[in-house]
């Protein structure tokens, strides 16, 4: 799926448990992600006593697990599902 196809299917969300992707609005030097890019969110379930829904990370530009992106960078969370209209 190309970037434009992906962007057309994403819906913003405020709930991290619903999020499938994260858009980087501004990146911090040394965080190894690109501003304006969208990254797929992955979850690490190795510590269920701390992270019930899994610890969230992205694979950064160096293909390494980056757990600090949501803490250090200005981001927007996205989901592939259309928000419910209830």
């Amino acid at each position: 799926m190309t970037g434009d196809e992906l962007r057309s299917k994403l819906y913003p969300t405020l709930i991290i448990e619903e999020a499938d992707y994260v858009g980087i609005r501004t990146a911090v030097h040394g965080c190894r992600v690109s501003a304006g890019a969208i990254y797929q969110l992955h979850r690490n379930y190795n510590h269920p006593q701390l992270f019930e829904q899994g610890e969230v990370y992205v694979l950064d530009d160096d293909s390494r697990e980056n757990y600090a992106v949501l803490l250090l960078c200005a981001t927007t969370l996205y989901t592939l599902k259309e928000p419910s209209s209830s």
Side-chain angles (χ1 to χ4, degrees), residues 33-52:
V33 291
S34 302
I38 294 180
Y39 296 86
Q40 183 175 8
L41 289 176
H42 302 277
R43 288 174 170 77
N44 178 343
Y45 295 98
N46 289 339
H47 304 287
Q49 66 277 15
L50 296 175
F51 303 100
E52 203 171 286

Side-chain angles (χ1 to χ4, degrees), residues 16-37:
I16 187 110
E17 290 82 12
E18 292 180 359
D20 300 308
Y21 291 87
V22 62
I24 308 298
R25 292 192 316 258
T26 58
V28 174
H29 178 71
C31 204
R32 304 284 188 214
V33 291
S34 302

